[in-house]
Amino acid sequence: KSGIMNSMAAYITHNWEINNKVIFSRGIRYSNIAMKTEYSDTMMTLMDFSFNKVIEQDNGAMNYNLGLVYKIGSGWRITGMSSSGFRVPNIDDVSKVNDSKGKDHTVIVPNPGLKPEYSYNQEITINKTFNKKVQIEGTVFYTTMKDAITLRETTFNGADSIDFQGYMSKVYTNTNAGNAFLYGGQAGLLAQITDNFSISSNLTYTYGRVKDAGGNTPMEHIPPVYGATHFRLEIKKFTGEFYVRYNRSKALKDYFIAGEDNLESTPSYINADGNTAYYGIPAWYSLNLKTSYQVNKNLSMQF
């Protein structure tokens, strides 16, 4: 197949500094995205598609953002934001044909009628600075999605499973499954302890589910809790940094099994029935050390 996408947009923004403590921002944006993809005659014959070999879409949307910054004083600052967004199905979403040869054979078929998904986001950030050297920050957000694009079971020419490349495969397609929600938070620390030594750290949590007639199912691509902590030392020509990266486990219940979370690539075992079962992603952390020394203006050594 071959395809082409064209996009255009226009936007306007305005910032209003109401006083030395309050700043208000707003903006609107209009976007238009057109897509056209065409299958080869070979593919049309192989899959016996019931639609035309050319798929065309033309979608537009108006989005907004509203923001408010309030500097309370004594190093405190609160930021609030409300915004909307949309994602137009790309060529891959609408027209791909793909298979999986994991535990359960599946095949993804095109959906020419796939529509854009829309999101509406609210978030609040609280920031505190101590003595101009230590800064802590926390953010919480909640996002709702309309017509969320996700993989769901379907039929192809009336059958829920087809013979694809020698395997009897269950049929899925990208579809506007319904509504979805996403929420989470982020916390951060930045501390300049001395002129030579600093510490920074961050931690992020995200949770997402798709709501449809079948109940709540996990959204794809949702990471487990993750973060990093850095300790940095700079003395004349020497720079050293020790840092830890860490990830919580991602349990089987948080995977969308038929989607693109690639459960088959995670650790597995053979259960009592002789079938392959999966653990999901285990928790992990890594310890890292980087150093460098500037011998002279032309030579630097790193370890």
Side-chain angles (χ1 to χ4, degrees):
K1 68 181 180 182
S2 60
I4 186 172
M5 289 186 73
N6 294 311
S7 64
M8 59 172 289
Y11 67 92
I12 183 171
T13 63
H14 177 250
N15 291 328
W16 178 21
E17 189 169 341
I18 300 174
N19 54 47
N20 59 0
K21 289 187 176 182
V22 181
I23 301 173
F24 178 61
S25 63
R26 52 192 168 178
I28 57 172
R29 174 189 176 102
Y30 176 78
S31 302
N32 181 270
I33 300 176
M35 183 229 20
K36 178 180 179 181
T37 184
E38 181 174 354
Y39 291 98
S40 65
D41 292 334
T42 302
M43 179 62 78
M44 293 295 290
T45 302
L46 174 66
M47 293 297 295
D48 188 24
F49 289 142
S50 59
F51 49 81
N52 296 329
K53 65 184 295 184
V54 177
I55 298 176
E56 292 185 87
Q57 287 196 354
D58 192 338
N59 297 290
M62 185 76 75
N63 301 128
Y64 73 89
N65 75 277
L66 299 171
L68 185 68
V69 177
Y70 180 34
K71 302 175 184 178
I72 301 175
S74 301
W76 288 95
R77 186 177 73 169
I78 297 178
T79 304
M81 188 184 74
S82 175
S83 62
S84 68
F86 83 115
R87 184 174 80 86
V88 167
N90 58 35
I91 292 173
D92 193 53
D93 292 327
V94 173
S95 62
K96 74 176 174 182
V97 178
N98 192 22
D99 69 317
S100 169
K101 296 183 177 64
K103 177 185 175 184
D104 300 312
H105 296 290
T106 62
V107 58
I108 300 172
V109 298
N111 181 4
L114 194 62
K115 301 183 296 184
E117 63 181 9
Y118 298 86
S119 64
Y120 304 91
N121 181 65
Q122 326 296 324
E123 68 178 62
I124 295 178
T125 298
I126 299 177
N127 180 290
K128 168 65 173 175
T129 302
F130 300 89
N131 299 323
K132 299 182 179 180
K133 289 187 175 182
V134 179
Q135 179 176 296
I136 58 174
E137 182 177 281
T139 299
V140 292
F141 71 90
Y142 186 87
T143 298
T144 56
M145 301 179 68
K146 178 184 176 184
D147 293 330
I149 297 174
T150 186
L151 278 174
R152 285 292 184 266
E153 295 180 20
T154 188
T155 59
F156 186 77
N157 293 336
D160 61 5
S161 297
I162 61 174
D163 186 344
F164 186 74
Q165 297 184 346
Y167 294 88
M168 186 55 65
S169 304
K170 198 166 186 63
V171 181
Y172 286 82
T173 192
N174 280 310
T175 187
N176 299 104
N179 297 327
F181 64 91
L182 190 69
Y183 64 79
Q186 178 267 336
L189 165 71
L190 178 60
Q192 191 68 44
I193 307 300
T194 69
D195 291 341
N196 307 108
F197 180 62
S198 64
I199 301 174
S200 62
S201 186
N202 65 78
L203 187 69
T204 300
Y205 168 77
T206 313
Y207 182 87
R209 289 293 187 269
V210 178
K211 300 187 293 184
D212 57 16
N216 291 352
T217 55
M219 291 184 71
E220 301 168 78
H221 307 303
I222 301 297
V225 173
Y226 66 92
T229 300
H230 294 248
F231 303 88
R232 184 177 178 87
L233 179 66
E234 297 179 81
I235 302 176
K236 295 182 179 179
K237 297 181 178 182
F238 173 82
T239 300
E241 185 174 19
F242 172 74
Y243 59 98
V244 186
R245 288 178 174 162
Y246 31 88
N247 234 77
R248 198 182 73 175
S249 60
K250 182 170 180 176
L252 200 63
K253 64 182 177 63
D254 293 321
Y255 281 84
F256 179 39
I257 304 300
E260 297 178 353
D261 272 347
N262 298 321
L263 180 63
E264 291 81 5
S265 66
T266 69
S268 62
Y269 63 97
I270 303 301
N271 62 21
D273 298 325
N275 297 319
T276 302
Y278 299 92
Y279 289 107
I281 296 176
W284 61 265
Y285 67 90
S286 67
L287 307 177
N288 311 270
L289 178 65
K290 296 194 301 184
T291 63
S292 67
Y293 185 79
Q294 192 71 40
V295 179
N296 55 48
K297 65 178 182 179
N298 298 316
L299 177 63
S300 175
M301 299 176 64
Q302 297 182 345
F303 172 75

